[in-house]
Amino acid sequence: MTRLLMLVEGQSEEIFVKQTLAPHLLQHGVFVQPIVLWTKRLASGGGYRGGVSSWNQIRRSLLPLTSDTDAWVTTLLDFYGLPEDMPGYQDALLPGNPRERVTGLETRLAAEINHQRFIPFLALHEFEAWVFCNATVLASHFDRSDLADKVTQAVAYAGEPELINHGKNTHPKARLQGMATGYKETSDGPTLMGKIGIQAIRAACPHFAEWLVRLERLGGGG
């Protein structure tokens, strides 16, 4: 069994990993342990977790994980809203293909951490993009039949769920909140992704799919 330490941005991602992603990867021989990113450590011990405010915060949370020589390490952080001081982030905001830009930023992150068992991953553009993979499930979950057309139109305009963009009022979470769904990220997000399922997310989201294949292969299944 291959062990995988996954640094996640917050509670929503942690719940998704525990409820949906980890059981899937376990079938491939990969045991996943999600670890919520430290926001602030207290001198007296403990501290606060969840959210990203600086590059040093990410680095301080990642480096201890790489000292576990028996485990692989990966991340589940949003491309949208990364700290401005993150190496390579400003270049990643320049015009161009979004998938190429986020892949380039992941490559830069790998170079900064410089660990042979580290697989960087940044959700394009945001974790909530995966909720847009099935408009029917979303509409049923909120008991709002009108949402199916709204979600379908948003995806059609962007081209893919992962391409729903980086704007302050148009990133995936903002879209959901703007649809007056009463969306709660720590409950609705993971629940919806569980209903939609890993296979549907991977079919609709190429960047997620590439990451998932790499993680599945850690179990030795090819």
Side-chain angles (χ1 to χ4, degrees):
M1 183 71 67
T2 301
R3 292 174 55 243
L4 176 65
L5 306 178
M6 185 176 296
L7 183 69
V8 301
E9 187 162 330
Q11 187 180 4
S12 301
E13 291 84 354
E14 181 185 30
I15 296 170
F16 163 72
V17 172
K18 288 182 175 179
Q19 293 183 349
T20 303
L21 184 57
H24 171 83
L25 289 174
L26 193 60
Q27 297 175 6
H28 292 265
V30 180
F31 174 77
V32 183
Q33 179 182 350
I35 298 159
V36 181
L37 187 142
W38 281 101
T39 302
K40 182 179 181 180
R41 293 182 185 269
L42 301 177
S44 58
Y48 305 94
R49 292 179 182 268
V52 181
S53 60
S54 72
W55 160 240
N56 280 334
Q57 177 192 344
I58 296 172
R59 189 172 179 275
R60 285 196 302 266
S61 290
L62 266 177
L63 288 180
L65 305 185
T66 63
S67 64
D68 186 335
T69 58
D70 188 46
W72 285 78
V73 178
T74 191
T75 55
L76 175 47
L77 307 174
D78 290 339
F79 177 35
Y80 175 78
L82 283 172
E84 294 186 357
D85 64 343
M86 183 170 177
Y89 183 62
Q90 296 304 320
D91 290 339
L93 295 179
L94 296 174
N97 182 290
R99 192 162 289 112
E100 291 178 358
R101 289 187 283 124
V102 77
T103 299
L105 187 55
E106 289 170 347
T107 299
R108 180 66 182 273
L109 179 55
E112 292 289 335
I113 299 302
N114 190 27
H115 179 63
Q116 62 181 0
R117 288 179 175 240
F118 176 51
I119 300 173
F121 175 74
L122 303 170
L124 180 64
H125 285 269
E126 192 173 36
F127 175 70
E128 278 77 12
W130 305 338
V131 170
F132 285 78
C133 291
N134 191 314
T136 302
V137 169
L138 183 64
S140 175
H141 176 80
F142 289 105
D143 194 24
R144 287 267 308 278
S145 58
D146 62 303
L147 288 180
D149 284 342
K150 292 181 179 180
V151 171
T152 299
Q153 290 171 9
V155 174
Y157 184 80
E160 297 171 359
E162 289 181 315
L163 299 183
I164 295 174
N165 68 25
H166 217 84
K168 181 178 179 181
N169 299 313
T170 52
H171 60 90
K173 190 188 302 182
R175 296 284 184 98
L176 288 168
Q177 293 167 340
M179 291 175 184
T181 59
Y183 175 78
K184 298 179 179 62
E185 57 184 291
T186 57
S187 56
D188 292 319
T191 299
L192 277 163
M193 290 176 201
K195 291 178 178 180
I196 291 167
I198 289 291
Q199 299 305 339
I201 296 172
R202 84 187 304 167
C205 300
H207 189 61
F208 171 84
E210 291 174 5
W211 178 57
L212 186 61
V213 167
R214 292 187 69 184
L215 301 187
E216 290 171 345
R217 288 176 177 169
L218 295 179

